[in-house]
Amino acid sequence: MTVQVRFLPDDITIEAEAGEPMLEVAKRAGILIPTGCLMGSCHACEVELEDGTPICACISAIPAGSKSITINLYTDLGW
């Protein structure tokens, strides 16, 4: 199933397959998501879904069940 993935704040949209690793989709779109441990522990790759849910991109895949998804690359970390 093809999913439209929109990356904010640059407003770049790319097609991806459900289950495709999020980091690979971002790379194909020309977007660099910083990484650290690549195991989800350090949260260097944390992004935010359109509903405000924070996720670690290094261990996440494009979810199935929706035709589009928005990923905000810059979350408010509250620092």
Side-chain angles (χ1 to χ4, degrees):
M1 176 181 175
T2 302
V3 179
Q4 293 289 319
V5 181
R6 180 178 176 214
F7 290 98
L8 296 177
D10 298 327
D11 200 20
I12 296 172
T13 302
I14 188 169
E15 286 189 357
E17 292 297 319
E20 191 174 352
M22 195 170 291
L23 288 180
E24 288 183 21
V25 174
K27 184 177 179 179
R28 278 195 298 111
I31 295 169
L32 174 66
I33 297 176
T35 60
C37 67
L38 296 176
M39 296 183 299
S41 299
C42 72
H43 294 267
C45 64
E46 190 168 282
V47 296
E48 191 174 274
L49 299 179
E50 58 197 317
D51 66 359
T53 303
I55 60 169
C56 291
C58 72
I59 58 169
S60 298
I62 302 302
S66 71
K67 294 181 180 183
S68 66
I69 182 174
T70 300
I71 300 168
N72 190 351
L73 302 175
Y74 304 106
T75 60
D76 179 13
L77 299 176
W79 297 0

